Amino acid sequence: MDNHIKPKRIAILASGNGTNAQQIAEYFAGRNDVVVDSVIYNKKDAYVATRAKNLGLQSFYMTRRDFMESDKVPALLSERGVDYLILAGFLLLVPENLLRAFPDRIVNIHPALLPKYGGKGMYGHHVHEAVVANHEKETGITIHVVDHRYDCGTTLFQARCVVYPNDSADDVSARIHLLEKDFFPPVIDAYITGRPMPVQQHILL
Ligand code: GAR
């Protein structure tokens, strides 16, 4: 690796538990071309803040209002020299000021095969409950570039998994988390560095 190349800095935006945030931080630990700079979270008691602390990562709490009605977040990110935003269970609509500051440099993961089960209110467990209620035979993850709408923007990667007839939403959630663990960090890596994307449409039984 050429040490003269300035590393790309990532900030992770999250609202909840933070398993994806942790996996991303662990994946890039020790890399000198891509660095996880910090975690920004918008729910005061989000467990992701504890994970960030345990990982030795800086974390910043920003309220919904800070995101939606001020320039605090872009100001902080610019001060820290952040290049890319990764949404890992971040439940607010990304405001215009961040879209302008990070054109095509915001990436989200959604726990379904978009355009199915996307949009406002479709997040986390709600998605898996809808998938089970509709007797879907498969579901998966979508990793996409973020635009001004919920769960839209160019798809970078999808991976699929089976939904069995007797699955509960928890069963589906567990399988989805395995896909997220396997694919989200390397897809981020590929998008930022130009490395090859993982093979698409992987089916995990
Ligand atoms: C993940 O499954 C992610 O795909 C989903 O929230 C979960 C967060 O889990 N994101 C959305 O539903 C976005 N619409 P985590 O906090 O343990 O990473």
Side-chain angles (χ1 to χ4, degrees):
M1 190 57 54
D2 183 345
N3 287 329
H4 300 294
I5 294 175
K6 201 166 150 270
K8 300 288 184 218
R9 300 185 76 77
I10 296 177
I12 300 173
L13 273 53
S15 304
N17 185 351
T19 57
N20 280 282
Q22 178 165 349
Q23 284 153 193
I24 295 161
E26 286 171 350
Y27 176 94
F28 286 108
R31 286 271 292 267
N32 54 12
D33 57 340
V34 180
V35 170
V36 177
D37 172 78
S38 51
V39 171
I40 302 181
Y41 60 103
N42 71 307
K43 291 245 169 81
K44 212 180 179 92
D45 56 355
Y47 190 66
V48 71
T50 305
R51 290 185 193 268
K53 192 165 175 223
N54 293 341
L55 288 158
L57 274 180
Q58 281 267 10
S59 69
F60 300 93
Y61 170 58
M62 292 281 173
T63 64
R64 185 177 200 290
R65 210 171 175 163
D66 292 334
F67 271 100
M68 297 303 174
E69 295 172 30
S70 84
D71 285 326
K72 276 190 191 176
V73 180
L76 172 72
L77 295 167
S78 150
E79 195 179 290
R80 300 185 65 83
V82 168
D83 301 293
Y84 286 85
L85 303 185
I86 305 300
L87 313 190
F90 181 68
L91 303 182
L92 295 177
L93 189 63
V94 176
E96 273 301 327
N97 57 8
L98 286 181
L99 290 166
R100 268 199 311 275
F102 294 88
D104 288 331
R105 283 186 283 119
I106 310 179
V107 174
N108 181 44
I109 189 160
H110 187 75
L113 296 170
L114 291 173
K116 290 174 107 178
Y117 302 104
K120 194 167 163 54
M122 266 296 164
Y123 59 87
H125 227 257
H126 298 288
V127 175
H128 310 313
E129 278 160 19
V131 163
V132 166
N134 289 339
H135 308 290
E136 295 284 358
K137 292 193 170 53
E138 64 168 17
T139 185
I141 58 170
T142 303
I143 299 167
H144 65 95
V145 179
V146 171
D147 67 14
H148 60 284
R149 300 160 295 176
Y150 277 107
D151 304 323
C152 291
T154 307
T155 294
L156 299 175
F157 181 86
Q158 288 189 314
R160 295 162 190 271
C161 63
V162 171
V163 180
Y164 294 104
N166 293 327
D167 271 352
S168 64
D170 281 344
D171 296 328
V172 175
S173 169
R175 221 170 285 126
I176 288 293
H177 271 100
L178 291 177
L179 288 181
E180 295 184 333
K181 183 174 198 296
D182 277 355
F183 293 114
F184 196 19
V187 169
I188 295 166
D189 195 359
Y191 188 61
I192 293 178
T193 67
R195 283 182 167 78
M197 280 278 168
V199 176
Q200 293 253 2
Q201 312 291 353
H202 183 93
I203 303 202
L204 185 91
L205 291 174

